[in-house]
Amino acid sequence: MTEPGASPEDPWVKVEYAYSDNSLDPDDEDSDYHQESYKESYKDRRRRAHTQSEQKRRDAIKRGYDDLQTIVPTCQQQDFSIGSQKLSKAIVLQKTIDYIQFLHKEKKKQEEEVSTLRKDVTALKIMKMNYEPIVKAHQDNPHEGEDQVSDQVKFNVFQGVMDSLFESFNASISVASFQELSACVFSWIEQHCKPQTLREIMIGVLHQLKNQLY
């Protein structure tokens, strides 16, 4: 009901009725529009960030493969099976694996060579230590003992050394098969032909020969 004295055609009544309807509030419509626009903008930003991140990842992988082709020598060699085509990622990886395995083998080979050289150096040091006194004695008395040793005496020294070596050789070597013979020979050399062992044999032979001569 309208208030007494108010006419339905009164313009103030129409204005009040219009603003009392929430569904026609223009401010609410603007709020919904801006919220929807914000949501779409956030999705776009996320999509763009993901795309950039994926592109960076692909670029990093590509740089890695390019570096491998530059570093690995076999990747730079011409492969006639594929002609002048660009190497695929699978081929680059396989060539890289092959090259790494090659480097491991070369490293092991060099380590074995270094170990052998160290043993040779040790043997030479022992020989140097044993022969230095002999050389010094000869330098102090260069003319002592000249023309006093006959060829027969030298042969007796050689024979004594060889006889001693043959005894150990004969006791250590098996001739059941060629494989056994080969294995025994190398084992005998390692055990009985060391510089220290030969020195002891030589000292014993010289001592025995000296007793025979004097």
Side-chain angles (χ1 to χ4, degrees):
M1 295 178 62
T2 59
E3 295 180 0
S7 173
E9 300 298 327
D10 191 341
W12 292 106
V13 176
K14 292 182 178 180
V15 171
E16 184 180 358
Y17 176 79
Y19 277 96
S20 65
D21 190 353
N22 293 333
S23 63
L24 299 178
D25 189 350
D27 291 338
D28 289 344
E29 293 181 358
D30 290 342
S31 176
D32 293 341
Y33 172 78
H34 288 301
Q35 186 175 6
E36 186 67 24
S37 175
Y38 174 77
K39 289 182 178 179
E40 290 297 326
S41 177
Y42 176 71
K43 290 181 179 179
D44 291 341
R45 287 199 300 271
R46 285 194 61 186
R47 185 182 299 107
R48 184 165 54 254
H50 176 74
T51 302
Q52 292 175 351
S53 176
E54 180 65 18
Q55 186 61 43
K56 288 181 180 179
R57 187 184 70 85
R58 293 180 179 179
D59 292 342
I61 293 174
K62 183 179 181 302
R63 285 195 301 271
Y65 278 100
D66 291 342
D67 291 342
L68 285 178
Q69 292 190 60
T70 303
I71 295 172
V72 179
T74 52
C75 288
Q76 302 172 10
Q77 298 172 358
Q78 184 178 3
D79 193 340
F80 295 100
S81 62
I82 62 174
S84 58
Q85 298 177 4
K86 184 178 179 180
L87 296 178
S88 66
K89 294 180 180 180
I91 294 177
V92 172
L93 287 178
Q94 186 59 52
K95 285 181 176 290
T96 302
I97 293 171
D98 294 341
Y99 185 63
I100 292 174
Q101 291 175 344
F102 166 76
L103 291 178
H104 278 302
K105 291 180 181 178
E106 286 297 308
K107 179 176 178 290
K108 184 177 180 181
K109 181 180 177 181
Q110 291 177 358
E111 289 175 348
E112 292 175 352
E113 291 177 353
V114 169
S115 178
T116 301
L117 290 174
R118 285 176 178 171
K119 292 179 181 179
D120 293 342
V121 169
T122 302
L124 290 173
K125 286 181 178 179
I126 295 174
M127 294 176 65
K128 177 177 177 290
M129 181 181 63
N130 293 332
Y131 283 105
E132 274 181 345
I134 299 175
V135 173
K136 187 176 184 303
H138 179 72
Q139 290 175 347
D140 294 340
N141 301 286
H143 301 290
E144 183 180 355
E146 286 187 353
D147 301 328
Q148 294 183 3
V149 178
S150 63
D151 291 339
Q152 182 61 39
V153 173
K154 290 189 289 186
F155 175 77
N156 290 342
V157 173
F158 177 77
Q159 183 179 18
V161 173
M162 292 301 104
D163 287 344
S164 178
L165 289 175
F166 181 74
E167 289 179 3
S168 63
F169 182 83
N170 190 42
S172 304
I173 300 303
S174 171
V175 292
S177 64
F178 182 78
Q179 288 78 6
E180 263 192 59
L181 174 64
S182 301
C184 290
V185 167
F186 287 110
S187 176
W188 173 78
I189 291 175
E190 292 177 354
Q191 294 180 10
H192 299 279
C193 295
K194 297 178 181 178
Q196 184 63 29
T197 303
L198 294 176
R199 181 176 181 273
E200 293 174 357
I201 293 175
M202 180 62 72
I203 291 174
V205 170
L206 291 175
H207 182 73
Q208 183 179 4
L209 183 63
K210 182 178 179 181
N211 292 336
Q212 292 177 357
L213 293 176
Y214 300 100

